[in-house]
Amino acid sequence: LARGGIPTDLAGRHVVVSAGGTREAIDPVRFIGNRSSGLQGYALARTALARGARVTLVAANVALPDPAGAEIVRAGSALELRDAVLKASADADAVVMAAAVADFRPAGYRDVKIKKTDDDEPAPITLVKNPDVLIELVAARRPGQVIVGFAAETNDVLRHGREKLARKGCDLLVVNEVGERLTFGAPDNAAVILSADGTSVDVPRGSKEDLADVVWDQVTGRLQ
Ligand code: CTP
Ligand code: CA
């Protein structure tokens, strides 16, 4: 089924995409964050909409125009993102975790700004582990639901990717190499999409939209 050359293979499907990067508050003015821009997640949302899906976009600290037609749910921290993603995924056909979720958060939130003083050494910031949303999604998955993770690696990309796919238990893992000038905030991306069935698809450097369409190709092939 094609309309104007665009496949409508996600018509009647509900997909959830998380995008951006979480911020873990230290005090009212400071946080621990990461370099995710949200561009890849937003490209996934736009391409899914173009292919006919109903899209819930869980956006963490993203400064990008909202894709028309998506339901946008804002999340700040990893705990907020987890609540939003698990809630939206209850009736979803596919979930793509493109967001960079902080692994740790400060153990205690100070509700007044931490002040510097002349003589004191700064107090260390103790961190505690955040829940792994992807692992929770896999544990809660409904029959037939396709779950996709993303992994940004800096070295030994494929080995780390295979290990991560096995550890997370998701269907697909989109692995890309990151570095100072690679991927973060850039319009283009290159990746390998690893599948739990042992196959993989190489996606050559191209736009984040192109990569998003290959991800949806892989997802639709696995939907019942
Ligand atoms: N993820 C998640 N919840 C977390 C951390 C990560 O859902 N608390 C998801 C990310 O959205 C991504 C996938 O898991 O889709 C892989 O994230 P990544 O940070 O690469 O994996 P980690 O298991 O945190 O491993 P690492 O030690 O390499 O950071
Ligand atoms: Ca991590």
Side-chain angles (χ1 to χ4, degrees):
L1 214 68
R3 203 169 11 125
I6 300 165
T8 53
D9 51 5
L10 286 172
R13 303 290 191 172
H14 177 210
V15 305
V16 176
V17 176
S18 70
T22 65
R23 292 179 177 180
E24 310 303 309
I26 298 168
D27 71 13
V29 293
R30 304 178 180 103
F31 60 82
I32 300 171
N34 62 68
R35 294 185 188 277
S36 178
S37 62
L39 284 169
Q40 185 62 63
Y42 273 50
L44 282 154
R46 284 194 303 274
T47 48
L49 287 161
R51 293 167 78 139
R54 174 161 80 86
V55 176
T56 304
L57 177 57
V58 179
N61 308 295
V62 179
L64 295 170
D66 293 343
E71 187 191 334
I72 317 262
V73 183
R74 308 250 168 223
S77 66
L79 293 177
E80 288 169 13
L81 181 132
R82 171 223 220 170
D83 286 351
V85 168
L86 290 179
K87 186 165 169 252
S89 299
D91 71 347
D93 297 289
V95 187
V96 181
M97 283 294 295
V101 184
D103 294 330
F104 307 103
R105 68 178 181 278
Y109 171 74
R110 310 275 217 92
D111 56 8
V112 291
K113 186 185 171 193
I114 300 167
K115 300 296 286 181
K116 84 171 173 271
T117 53
D118 287 339
D119 41 20
D120 292 344
E121 287 291 309
I125 296 170
T126 306
L127 301 178
V128 293
K129 220 170 187 180
N130 273 327
D132 191 308
V133 184
L134 188 52
I135 286 178
E136 291 190 353
L137 280 167
V138 169
R141 97 200 290 153
R142 51 197 288 261
Q145 191 178 57
V146 177
I147 301 175
V148 184
F150 266 71
E153 305 288 351
T154 58
N155 64 308
D156 262 345
V157 172
L158 281 183
R159 184 172 61 81
H160 285 129
R162 272 283 161 214
E163 283 171 10
K164 193 165 282 180
L165 178 64
R167 184 156 50 79
K168 302 276 190 177
C170 51
D171 300 286
L172 298 165
L173 190 72
V174 184
V175 188
N176 46 59
E177 188 169 4
V178 293
E180 284 287 309
R181 278 179 306 279
L182 289 173
T183 302
F184 287 123
D188 63 341
N189 210 347
V192 50
I193 304 176
L194 303 177
S195 168
D197 62 24
T199 60
S200 68
V201 177
D202 267 300
V203 188
R205 185 156 295 282
S207 71
K208 289 184 173 177
E209 304 253 348
D210 288 348
L211 174 56
D213 265 319
V214 181
V215 170
W216 294 125
D217 291 344
Q218 293 301 308
V219 167
T220 53
R222 285 166 174 80
L223 290 170
Q224 268 123 37

